Amino acid sequence: MTTQENLPAAVRRVLAAVDALDADAFVAAFAPDGFVDDWGRQFRGPERIRSWSDGEFIGKNVTFTGTQVSTPGNPVTVATQVGGDGFNGPSHFTFDVRDDQIASMTITA
């Protein structure tokens, strides 16, 4: 996967954590009150984000290929092909960044 230099550092950290399958780095990229919105299901705070990730994301050996910035700015949206042992298919990940941390990551088609 290619990380874009114009992405906020917090988003680059999330993408690097995905590439490395590093759950600790993934969770650490989020603000303490940050959340993941996975198709309308919200997981707020580090413990719930980790639980979601262990069961449905990093824990499922997620991969991103062909990642591109589809909407620059803040929030920023990246489009990617998701692979691994869970969901497989195209997805958009919209990141809202606050104070160099991820305030939210929203996953849609």
Side-chain angles (χ1 to χ4, degrees):
M1 174 192 50
T2 314
T3 56
Q4 308 289 329
E5 290 303 314
N6 60 343
L7 288 174
V11 176
R12 291 195 311 266
R13 287 194 302 273
V14 165
L15 297 178
V18 169
D19 277 349
L21 296 177
D22 185 339
D24 291 334
F26 176 73
V27 173
F30 284 82
D33 63 341
F35 67 91
V36 170
D37 183 323
D38 182 6
W39 296 75
R41 299 177 304 140
Q42 286 195 2
F43 304 89
R44 186 174 298 276
E47 290 177 13
R48 297 209 53 221
I49 291 170
R50 178 176 295 280
S51 178
W52 168 81
S53 177
D54 288 350
E56 300 186 45
F57 200 61
I58 302 285
K60 292 290 188 182
N61 301 306
V62 69
T63 61
F64 286 179
T65 56
T67 303
Q68 302 175 32
V69 175
S70 64
T71 308
N74 188 33
V76 60
T77 301
V78 296
T80 192
Q81 180 70 29
V82 177
D85 300 328
F87 172 82
N88 285 259
S91 288
H92 289 83
F93 290 77
T94 300
F95 299 93
D96 185 21
V97 178
R98 182 183 68 230
D99 298 329
D100 198 36
Q101 293 184 304
I102 302 296
S104 66
M105 178 180 89
T106 302
I107 307 167
T108 58

